[in-house]
Structures are given as C-alpha cells and as structure tokens.
C-alpha cells in the first residue's frame, strides 16, 4: 500500500471534504492512547468518563485493544466518506452496515491471531456504533462548530495552494510520508508493499482532521482517501509569539503573526486565537499596512500569510 497508482481522471475528480467521523476517530485515538502529548490538554476533561465507559463495557475494551496497531487501524474505523458533506449520522450508518462478521474480519486483518472471546458473539457492530456515538456525543459534537470552521479554513488554504502549485505543491506538506512521485504515483506511506492501482476507484478524497499524523481511508475498491493534520491544529502548542515581539507590537497581534507561516483565513484565525472577527480583522489591517503580512483572495475567503518582513520580525523576537 506504500504507493497508489492514481489515474489522471480520478485525480482531476478528487476533492477535499470535512468528515465528522474522521474527527471522531481522531478523538478516539487520542482518548485511547495517553502517549499523544500534543492532545493531553484536550483529553484531560474527558479521560475519566471515557475510562469509566470502557470499564463498564468489556466488549469495547477488547475492541479497542484489537482495533489499533502501531501501523494499522481496523478498516471499519477508516471508511472514506461517501457524500461530499456527510453528517455524522450518515457516516455512522455506513459503519453499521458492515455487520458483525465484517467487523471481525477487519479486526483479524488488523491484528492477526485469535480474537478475544467477547468479540465472537452477536451484536459486535452495535458495540462499535455505540462506542463511536459516545465519543462523538461527549467530546466532538460540543466542539463541532469550532472544529468545522478550522477544517474548512484549511480546505480554503489547500485549494489556493492547489491552484498556485498543482498537486505536487499540495502533497509537499500534506503528510510526512505523502508525496507525488510522478507518472501517476502517489506515495501514501512508507510501507513495503507493491503499488496499488486505483483503476476501479470512483472517488479520491483528502480529509483534514484534528490529529498529529494522518492515515489512509478507504472502502475498497471504489473509495479511497487520505486524512491529514489540518494546518493550525497544532499551532496552539507550537506557534507561541516571542516575548520581544509581544512587547513590540502587542500580544494579540504577535500571536496572529506567529501563526501565519502558512496561509490562513480570517475565520481560521478567529478559531485559533479565540479573538472576535472584528478584532482579528483590525490586527490584520495593521499588519498589512506595516508590510508584515500579505493576502490573496481564494473563492469567498481571503488568505493571509507572513511576508519576509513578518518572518524577520518573528525571528528577531525570538532572539530578543
């Protein structure tokens, strides 16, 4: 699976899309693996309730143990979205349609060997659906308006990059192991596997998510896709404005400038900073007038990013 052979017409039809289920799986991965340090603050309010829920449902505990391996996740958790703008209910229904035997087959493919006894009974699909619904309802849904704004802002930025640099430019920073290698070949990871032709594929999607690293989604042989970390999702931990820059131009303006190493929209900056739309707009106007940022319209959004002067200010602020 290391390289996909992508027909030109399939690439031309490909699209970016937002998937509530993908963000739910990303949240499940974070809750299930406390070693993910960048999501520690997000996980803290939900960890105790999640642990209680798993302790009360032995089948769920066994499901989690069998579903996630270091380099593979069970296919029922990585289905490519069918619709252009799916709801969580629509994506959950696609999981429910797989049935108990298909869920078990997915688990055996993920973790070869005998399954735990509690996974062999009836109602396994219901347990999967219940788990995903719990994670969505308790952790993702309350945050969904803000999450969706971030994800859609990322898509705007990626679309602008696509029109400027082509797919090779988009893939350059999509995921660490993803790159366009030419001749219709897309490297999706570094697994040692023969190239996978997508000749029968009807759909290829790219899905931003709140995650540190992405993964492959598919429903072979017709639907394929890539999940990637949305730009700015990790910025709250890493894009801290230097003290010197804060003293020079103010804390909020410095926080905005520090995040603009890649193009972001005003709505994306609002979601990341917690500032009001009017406040972000005022700060951007000042930064534009000073020549620290530049902008470009992409569809209905306007994208902003640092100029050489802006980059120098951020760098000088760190030194000072």
């Amino acid at each position: 699976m290391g390289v996909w052979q992508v027909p030109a017409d399939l690439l031309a039809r490909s699209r970016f899309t937002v998937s509530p289920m993908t963000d739910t799986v990303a949240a499940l991965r974070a809750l299930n693996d406390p070693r993910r340090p960048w999501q520690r603050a997000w996980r803290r309010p939900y960890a105790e309730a999640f642990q209680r829920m798993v302790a009360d449902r032995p089948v769920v505990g066994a499901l989690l143990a069998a579903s996630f391996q270091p380099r593979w996740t069970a296919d029922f958790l990585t289905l490519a979205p069918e619709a252009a703008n799916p709801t969580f209910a629509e994506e959950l229904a696609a999981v429910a349609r797989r049935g108990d035997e298909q869920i078990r087959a997915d688990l055996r493919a993920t973790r070869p060997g005998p399954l735990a006894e509690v996974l062999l009974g009836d109602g396994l699909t219901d347990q999967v659906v219940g788990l995903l619904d719990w994670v969505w309802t308790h952790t993702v849904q309350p945050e969904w308006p803000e999450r969706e704004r971030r994800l859609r802002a990322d898509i705007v930025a990626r679309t602008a990059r696509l029109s400027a640099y082509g797919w090779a430019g988009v893939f350059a920073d999509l995921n660490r192991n993803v790159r366009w290698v030419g001749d219709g070949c897309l490297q999706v990871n570094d697994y040692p596997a023969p190239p996978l032709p997508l000749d029968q594929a009807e759909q290829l999607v790219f899905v931003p998510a709140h995650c540190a690293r992405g993964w492959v989604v598919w429903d072979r042989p017709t639907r394929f896709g890539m999940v990637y970390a949305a730009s700015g999702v990790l910025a709250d931990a890493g894009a801290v404005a230097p003290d010197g820059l804060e003293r020079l131009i103010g804390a909020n303006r410095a926080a905005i400038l520090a995040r603009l190493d890649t193009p972001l929209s005003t709505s994306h900056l609002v979601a990341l900073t917690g500032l009001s739309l009017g406040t972000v707009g005022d700060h951007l106007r000042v930064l534009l007038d000073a020549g620290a940022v530049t902008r470009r319209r992409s569809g209905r959004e306007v994208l902003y990013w640092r100029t050489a002067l802006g980059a120098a200010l951020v760098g000088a602020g760190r030194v000072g």
Side-chain angles (χ1 to χ4, degrees):
M1 190 186 61
V3 173
W4 288 351
Q5 295 176 332
V6 184
D9 63 329
L10 177 63
L11 187 62
R13 298 195 312 271
S14 65
R15 54 182 167 78
F16 290 89
T17 192
V18 170
S19 163
M21 179 61 74
T22 297
D23 249 36
T24 300
V25 172
L28 175 59
R29 290 161 68 101
L31 290 165
N32 188 54
D33 187 355
R35 297 171 298 175
R36 298 175 184 271
W38 77 274
Q39 286 185 316
R40 191 172 292 137
W42 173 85
R43 182 172 54 240
R44 192 174 297 119
Y46 310 114
E48 186 176 345
F50 177 75
Q51 291 163 3
R52 284 199 307 269
M53 182 272 294
V54 174
D56 290 342
R57 304 181 189 181
V59 176
V60 167
L63 264 171
L64 291 171
S67 295
F68 296 104
Q69 294 302 301
R71 308 203 71 181
W72 197 270
T73 300
D75 280 2
F76 59 82
L77 295 175
T78 60
L79 298 177
E82 298 180 26
N85 291 290
T87 65
F88 177 76
E90 289 169 340
E91 293 190 281
L92 191 63
V95 177
R97 289 195 294 270
R98 288 182 86 77
D100 290 354
E101 287 308 313
Q102 184 60 60
I103 296 292
R104 277 190 276 271
D106 291 346
L107 291 173
R108 291 187 179 102
T110 304
R111 188 174 186 176
L115 295 178
E117 187 70 26
V118 293
L119 299 177
L120 301 179
D122 294 338
L124 186 58
T125 301
D126 292 339
Q127 294 285 341
V128 172
V129 168
L131 170 62
L132 292 170
D133 187 61
W134 189 97
V135 175
W136 164 258
T137 302
H138 288 80
T139 72
V140 178
Q141 187 178 34
E143 306 171 355
W144 184 245
E146 182 177 344
R147 283 174 174 252
E148 186 176 18
R149 281 196 299 271
R150 289 176 180 155
L151 299 175
R152 294 201 180 279
D154 176 274
I155 289 175
V156 171
R158 302 284 174 179
T159 303
R161 189 173 183 86
L162 174 62
S163 59
Y165 302 106
W167 281 107
V170 172
F171 296 139
D173 66 347
L174 200 65
N175 248 343
R176 187 174 66 186
N177 294 318
V178 174
R179 63 190 181 97
W180 186 251
V181 295
D183 296 327
C185 292
L186 174 63
Q187 178 179 311
V188 296
N189 54 45
D190 59 359
Y191 294 6
L196 178 63
L198 303 193
D199 295 337
Q200 299 181 58
E202 300 170 359
Q203 176 182 303
L204 178 64
V205 294
F206 300 95
V207 186
H210 290 74
C211 60
R213 290 186 60 187
W215 59 88
V216 169
V217 292
W218 57 20
D219 194 354
R220 294 184 288 180
T222 57
R223 296 200 312 278
F224 292 81
M226 289 291 309
V227 175
Y228 65 90
S231 60
V233 167
L234 307 181
D236 286 345
V240 178
D243 289 342
L245 185 60
E246 289 187 356
R247 292 194 298 271
L248 179 65
I249 65 174
N252 288 337
R253 206 165 288 157
I256 290 172
L257 188 60
R259 286 178 166 87
L260 290 177
D261 56 329
T262 58
L264 297 176
S265 68
T266 308
S267 59
H268 201 159
L269 287 166
V270 167
L272 289 173
T273 63
L275 301 172
S276 70
L277 183 63
T279 298
V280 169
D282 289 343
H283 288 316
L284 286 171
R285 276 192 291 275
V286 172
L287 293 169
L288 274 167
D289 290 344
V293 301
T294 188
R295 65 184 175 182
R296 173 184 172 182
R297 177 167 292 280
S298 178
R300 296 182 179 179
E301 293 274 11
V302 176
L303 302 177
Y304 297 83
W305 63 96
R306 286 198 301 254
T307 62
L309 172 60
L313 284 170
V314 172
R318 289 198 175 93
V319 173

